[in-house]
Amino acid sequence: MADPKTLDVEDVERRMRGAFQALKQEFSGLRTGRASASLLDPVMVDAYGQITPVNQVATVNAPEPRLITVQVWDRGMVAAVDKAIRSAGLGLNPNVDGTLIRLPIPELNQERRTELTKVAAKYTEQARISVRNVRRDAMDELKRLEKDGHMSQDDYKVQTDKVQKLTDKIIGEIDAALAHKEGEIMQV
């Protein structure tokens, strides 16, 4: 808060948008049955004594809708990348061909699709809670400012309306993102 006598609405919006961005990041890791290079983002490789993201030791591509390729730059790292992908719990079975690792993406069955929509809903609820926590902090700050005499009741009402409208807008965007992701997951 820049000025102790006002609420920084831009900061409130930035924090709410941060929760939305975190949700989008979580969604990118959910498998939808289509190949995506971001599917391997959580995979960490033990490279030269350091734990490193796979995209820092190889080029990750999705040349086909049901295939991810991992072109390992150092031939000595192929086994470590293969092991990291197998142990990441993504349900993928790497096929090694020299320095190229192919990852066929299996079809999702209906049960797995339903399970993934539940996971997406859980991520969405966490994002909503984060946004509401930011709203609660902003409202507490506004109450404190009004109580301390730094803000009139009219200004308090205007500011609380702004915060509530911003909260409703971000929650709406989160709900729309969930609906889009559910549609993507359930698409056969």
Side-chain angles (χ1 to χ4, degrees), residues 81-156:
V81 172
D82 178 47
K83 180 181 174 192
I85 292 169
R86 287 181 193 278
S87 63
L90 297 172
L92 300 175
N93 191 17
N95 299 327
V96 179
D97 181 15
T99 59
L100 182 70
I101 299 174
R102 289 185 180 87
L103 301 165
I105 307 295
E107 282 282 342
L108 294 176
N109 61 19
Q110 190 61 35
E111 181 181 322
R112 181 71 177 134
R113 289 176 194 278
T114 305
E115 188 179 314
L116 284 174
T117 58
K118 287 178 184 174
V119 171
K122 186 181 87 172
Y123 289 159
T124 303
E125 188 55 34
Q126 290 170 343
R128 283 189 200 111
I129 289 169
S130 296
V131 168
R132 287 185 198 120
N133 286 341
V134 172
R135 176 188 167 276
R136 185 195 64 227
D137 293 346
M139 293 299 200
D140 289 348
E141 180 66 15
L142 287 170
K143 284 177 191 165
R144 186 190 62 75
L145 288 170
E146 184 196 21
K147 187 178 139 237
D148 292 349
H150 297 298
M151 180 180 285
S152 70
Q153 285 184 343
D154 289 343
D155 287 343
Y156 172 78

Side-chain angles (χ1 to χ4, degrees), residues 26-64:
E26 294 281 356
F27 277 177
S28 72
L30 280 181
R31 237 179 74 204
T32 59
R34 281 196 301 267
S36 168
S38 64
L39 188 59
L40 296 183
D41 285 351
V43 177
M44 302 301 264
V45 180
D46 185 2
Y48 314 110
Q50 296 285 321
I51 301 299
T52 311
V54 72
N55 63 4
Q56 293 185 10
V57 296
T59 303
V60 180
N61 286 314
E64 299 173 21

Side-chain angles (χ1 to χ4, degrees), residues 11-37:
D11 182 56
V12 171
E13 183 172 8
R14 182 189 55 75
R15 290 171 54 206
M16 286 183 179
R17 292 243 173 251
F20 183 53
Q21 291 303 320
L23 174 68
K24 287 167 117 177
Q25 188 67 34
E26 294 281 356
F27 277 177
S28 72
L30 280 181
R31 237 179 74 204
T32 59
R34 281 196 301 267
S36 168

Side-chain angles (χ1 to χ4, degrees), residues 70-81:
V70 181
Q71 181 67 51
V72 183
W73 300 323
D74 180 357
R75 185 175 290 278
M77 292 300 305
V78 173
V81 172

Side-chain angles (χ1 to χ4, degrees), residues 154-168:
D154 289 343
D155 287 343
Y156 172 78
K157 178 75 172 123
V158 167
Q159 291 292 323
T160 55
D161 286 348
K162 274 186 187 176
V163 170
Q164 186 58 50
K165 283 179 183 162
L166 181 60
T167 303
D168 294 343

